[in-house]
């Protein structure tokens, strides 16, 4: 008997009589297969056969003058036996209840399509709404969660929250943020948004206050919107482009020293620096400085550092 | 019948004599018999199986028929000897 027979059930047949060999011969001729035929004594044998052929065996045994007693075995036989029936029903009931209980809950949260927003922050936002693994699926308010996520992350244009099986999926699509267009009717300066060394200044409107080679600090005015003379100042909206060399620097320390550790440290430090560099910047130079277990990465980039700051006039 | 067997042997590329004749595979503690014609005698020390060539007698200790089908059977246990008797 193999495992399939165990699952489908089989019969253990006790044979008593003088013509056991004839019975076996006639049964196999009728297409009944036996397994584990064992002679217990001269007139007694035991064999196993498929449950569905027991009626045929009984019929042939009557013709051969052999007494047959059958005992059901295998999984169905065990379940149907009186002692195990209650246990089997309880087991099935408990398993059904477990499946129903688990199936009605969210066991996992998948987040996809959020490059601009980190998964961790989305999970935190969801947990603040009460959406976390283990909660009931009936309590998930997908519409409300979508609205709250859209409000929390303006960079997202579309959010879809859905539950499929035991997995809650958040699919997000980032929107394209339109470029900032300054209001040219209002007077404004162009100021530096980063520290750097000015490489070129092109003032299309307004007055350049820095020249190439000047080191500037963040917030410093680069192109002033105040023109004219001191006696008769004229306020304009400064326009132009200012390119500067900006230095990005990061240091990472390893808990132990070694060649491989330092190599990994260089890569990690460089990646950390790259994360801070905007996509529009042009990398000019990359330098590393390292000690036994510390790596410093310096990246010099060329990028535009000007930003508009409106001039607030007195009495406005 | 002989012609049919001959043609069948030609088609299937088997020796003519092998068709319908018993095939016996002897292993350390099992004997596998194909093309038998049923059990003639069975007890734990001896099993006699009818075949086209005669009777295959398997002797040993604690013999058990692990599998018994219309065309093949397997006998397990401590096998001492397998002999073909009443050969014609």
């Amino acid at each position: 008997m193999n495992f399939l027979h165990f699952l489908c059930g089989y019969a253990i047949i006790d044979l008593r009589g003088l013509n056991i060999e004839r019975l076996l011969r006639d049964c196999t001729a009728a297409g009944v297969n036996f397994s584990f035929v064992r002679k217990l004594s001269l007139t007694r044998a035991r064999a196993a056969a498929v449950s569905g052929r027991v009626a045929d065996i009984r019929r042939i045994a009557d013709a051969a003058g052999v007494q047959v007693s059958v005992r059901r075995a295998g999984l169905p036989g065990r379940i149907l036996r009186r002692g195990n029936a209650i246990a089997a029903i309880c087991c099935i009931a408990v398993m059904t209840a477990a499946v129903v209980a688990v199936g009605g809950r969210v066991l996992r949260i998948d987040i996809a399509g959020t490059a601009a927003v980190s998964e961790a922050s989305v999970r935190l936002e969801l947990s603040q709404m009460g959406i976390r693994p283990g909660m009931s699926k009936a309590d998930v308010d997908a519409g409300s969660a979508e609205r709250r996520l859209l409000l929390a992350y303006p960079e997202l244009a579309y959010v879809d929250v859905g539950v499929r099986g035991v997995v809650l999926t958040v699919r997000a699509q980032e929107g394209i943020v339109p470029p900032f267009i300054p209001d040219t009717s209002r007077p404004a300066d162009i100021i530096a948004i980063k520290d750097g060394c000015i490489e070129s200044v092109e003032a299309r409107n307004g007055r350049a206050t820095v020249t190439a080679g000047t080191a500037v600090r963040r917030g410093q005015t680069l192109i002033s919107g105040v023109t004219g003379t001191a006696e008769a100042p004229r306020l304009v909206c400064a326009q132009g482009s200012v390119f500067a060399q900006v230095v990005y620097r990061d240091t990472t320390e390893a808990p132990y020293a070694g060649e491989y550790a330092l190599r990994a440290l260089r890569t990690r430090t460089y990646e950390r620096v790259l994360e801070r560099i905007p996509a529009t910047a042009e990398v000019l130079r990359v330098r590393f400085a390292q000690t036994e277990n510390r790596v410093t990465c310096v990246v010099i980039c060329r990028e535009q550092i000007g930003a508009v700051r409106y001039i607030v006039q007195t009495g406005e | 019948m002989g012609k049919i067997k001959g043609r069948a042997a030609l088609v299937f590329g088997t020796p003519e004599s092998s068709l319908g004749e018993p095939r016996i595979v002897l292993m350390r503690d099992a004997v596998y018999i194909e093309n038998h014609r049923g059990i003639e005698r069975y007890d734990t020390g001896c099993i006699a199986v009818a075949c086209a060539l005669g009777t295959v007698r398997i002797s040993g200790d604690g013999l058990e028929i692990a599998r018994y089908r219309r065309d093949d059977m397997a006998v397990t246990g401590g096998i001492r000897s397998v002999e073909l008797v009443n050969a014609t």
Side-chain angles (χ1 to χ4, degrees):
Chain A
M1 289 290 124
N2 55 27
F3 185 65
L4 187 64
H5 288 138
F6 175 76
L7 284 181
C8 299
Y10 59 97
I12 296 173
I13 299 161
D14 273 323
L15 306 167
R16 283 170 190 271
L18 289 171
N19 295 326
I20 291 172
E21 288 86 351
R22 182 187 155 191
L23 169 73
L24 294 174
R25 217 166 37 230
D26 292 349
C27 282
T28 50
V32 180
N33 298 326
F34 288 99
S35 299
F36 304 114
V37 183
R38 182 178 297 170
K39 201 82 178 267
L40 303 175
S41 66
L42 189 65
T43 58
R44 215 175 140 208
R46 181 174 291 166
V50 179
S51 297
R53 305 305 300 268
V54 169
D56 294 332
I57 295 169
R58 282 188 195 279
R59 185 172 47 76
I60 295 166
D62 286 344
V66 176
Q67 291 180 353
V68 172
S69 60
V70 176
R71 185 162 59 87
R72 305 275 176 183
L75 194 60
R78 285 179 187 222
I79 290 174
L80 290 174
R81 237 173 270 155
R82 184 184 288 182
N84 292 340
I86 296 168
I89 290 166
C90 290
C91 182
I92 291 167
V94 168
M95 285 177 69
T96 309
V99 168
V100 169
V102 170
R105 298 201 167 265
V106 173
L107 297 185
R108 204 178 75 200
I109 296 176
D110 284 351
I111 297 165
T114 54
V117 181
S118 72
E119 271 193 37
S121 66
V122 174
R123 283 181 199 280
L124 186 67
E125 192 69 31
L126 289 172
S127 69
Q128 284 171 357
M129 295 178 220
I131 297 175
R132 52 176 69 92
M135 74 173 297
S136 171
K137 283 200 286 193
D139 296 340
V140 176
D141 185 355
S144 164
E146 287 167 6
R147 282 192 295 277
R148 282 193 59 172
L149 284 173
L150 282 173
L151 282 174
Y153 301 105
E155 54 268 51
L156 297 182
Y158 168 78
V159 174
D160 172 56
V161 176
V163 181
R164 189 172 179 181
V166 293
V167 180
L168 184 139
T169 309
V170 178
R171 277 188 292 270
Q173 181 65 50
E174 291 152 21
I176 299 168
V177 181
F180 173 70
I181 301 170
D183 181 5
T184 52
S185 63
R186 292 177 64 188
D189 292 332
I190 289 181
I191 61 162
I193 55 169
K194 291 176 183 175
D195 297 349
C197 182
I198 301 296
E199 206 171 66
S200 66
V201 182
E202 185 197 350
R204 290 193 294 277
N205 199 10
R207 179 173 49 87
T209 56
V210 291
T211 55
T214 312
V216 295
R217 306 286 294 178
R218 185 180 172 193
Q220 186 176 334
T221 303
L222 304 174
I223 302 174
S224 175
V226 182
T227 58
T229 59
E231 292 77 26
R234 194 164 61 89
L235 297 179
V236 295
C237 180
Q239 290 177 343
S241 58
V242 181
F243 283 91
Q245 288 187 7
V246 180
V247 178
Y248 293 90
R249 186 192 309 265
D250 205 328
T251 302
T252 313
E253 197 169 326
Y256 57 91
E259 185 191 347
Y260 293 107
L262 276 178
R263 202 178 297 169
L265 214 58
R266 281 165 69 107
T267 309
R268 199 192 312 162
T269 315
Y270 182 55
E271 285 172 353
R272 277 174 54 174
V273 173
L274 282 185
E275 282 174 10
R276 288 162 39 205
I277 297 175
T280 53
E282 178 191 352
V283 177
L284 299 175
R285 281 188 295 276
V286 180
R287 294 285 182 270
F288 289 98
Q290 62 189 49
T291 58
E292 276 186 351
N293 62 339
R294 177 184 292 196
V295 169
T296 299
C297 177
V298 178
V299 178
I300 299 172
C301 297
R302 181 175 181 270
E303 62 180 277
Q304 188 145 226
I305 61 165
V308 171
R309 183 177 65 186
Y310 292 110
I311 299 170
V312 180
Q313 297 176 61
T314 312
E316 190 176 297
Chain B
M1 188 66 183
K3 276 188 178 179
I4 295 172
K5 281 173 74 173
R7 289 279 177 92
L10 196 67
V11 168
F12 295 111
T14 54
E16 191 179 339
S17 61
S18 71
L19 292 172
E21 291 180 359
R23 197 153 77 113
I24 301 168
V25 181
L26 178 62
M27 287 164 275
R28 182 196 293 268
D29 52 0
V31 176
Y32 179 73
I33 304 171
E34 277 181 22
N35 294 330
H36 67 81
R37 291 182 178 175
I39 296 175
E40 286 182 352
R41 181 188 159 201
Y42 173 33
D43 59 54
T44 53
C46 179
I47 295 177
V49 182
C51 299
L53 297 178
T55 302
V56 176
R57 187 181 292 161
I58 304 161
S59 306
D61 301 316
L63 297 180
E64 185 180 317
I65 302 170
R67 169 172 156 163
Y68 188 47
R69 297 185 181 189
R70 186 185 298 185
D71 296 327
D72 63 333
M73 64 184 293
V75 176
T76 58
I79 292 161
R80 266 205 310 272
S81 67
V82 178
E83 53 187 325
L84 184 63
V85 293
N86 299 334
T88 54

